[in-house]
Amino acid sequence: MMVSEITQEEQAELDKALYDALTPLASAIRSRQTGLPADRMWAADPAEVALSVLAAWKVMDAEVRRLTAHAAATAGSYGASYEQMGAAWGITRQGARKKWPDAVSRSAPAAAGRSTLALFGGTAELVQAPSGDWSWTGVGADGASAAVTHGTRHATAEEAAAHAGAFLKEHAVDAVDRS
């Protein structure tokens, strides 16, 4: 199994980025819990403050799991196997299948020059023209649809997927409960 290692410098940068992202969320949670003004909400019993931070980490953990499932689905939509996903995650093929049961389609492989992208509750179909350029059509989770306009083709599948993914993200429907 392949496990990605990061350097100490990368670990330090990651820690900083995560704490920077956590701080406003922890503050918002703490503010709701205490009803105190911002300048006083952290002046409390250290255990209560630490529990507010722990609650914020729980929210972040759920978001990381959700985004990880999206990444697995995206990899699967490009033809990645459970074996490959397991290797990337440092688990077995069976473990990957259990972790992301819908990431890999059990149907026949997509025809060359064609793939489906499923993100943010919506889907987009990527199609390669005989010229080699790529186009896409998509339907967002909110029901909005879009397509590449005539003459606006993308040079690679990745470029088309990036544009389609941006559309799908823009037309996502926020889940009420992500826990």
Side-chain angles (χ1 to χ4, degrees):
M1 284 185 238
M2 177 189 75
V3 178
S4 299
E5 299 291 332
I6 63 174
T7 66
Q8 287 182 340
E9 294 80 19
E10 291 166 334
Q11 182 69 54
E13 289 175 21
L14 178 60
D15 288 352
K16 182 183 180 330
L18 290 173
Y19 281 113
D20 287 349
L22 180 79
T23 299
L25 180 60
S27 294
I29 290 171
R30 183 79 186 140
S31 178
R32 282 192 299 275
Q33 287 175 339
T34 64
L36 293 173
D39 64 334
R40 297 220 356 119
M41 70 182 159
W42 294 105
D45 175 54
E48 291 299 318
V49 170
L51 289 170
S52 296
V53 172
L54 182 61
W57 280 118
K58 181 186 184 303
V59 171
M60 286 186 69
D61 180 58
E63 284 302 297
V64 167
R65 282 185 275 118
R66 184 181 66 81
L67 294 171
T68 300
H70 279 301
T74 300
S77 75
Y78 281 119
S81 68
Y82 280 119
E83 183 176 358
Q84 291 170 310
M85 286 185 230
W89 198 252
I91 58 177
T92 65
R93 172 184 54 80
Q94 295 88 345
R97 181 172 294 178
K98 184 176 179 183
K99 187 169 194 61
W100 306 296
D102 299 323
V104 174
S105 172
R106 299 191 197 305
S107 61
R114 194 178 263 306
S115 70
T116 302
L117 180 65
L119 288 172
F120 306 107
T123 59
E125 184 78 19
L126 307 176
V127 179
Q128 188 175 29
S131 66
D133 290 340
W134 287 82
S135 63
W136 63 270
T137 58
V139 178
D142 64 357
S145 61
V148 172
T149 58
H150 180 67
T152 309
R153 301 261 182 192
H154 304 289
T156 65
E158 291 78 12
E159 183 182 349
H163 286 271
F167 166 79
L168 295 174
K169 181 177 181 183
E170 183 177 324
H171 293 281
V173 175
D174 290 334
V176 175
D177 180 19
R178 293 184 177 165
S179 57

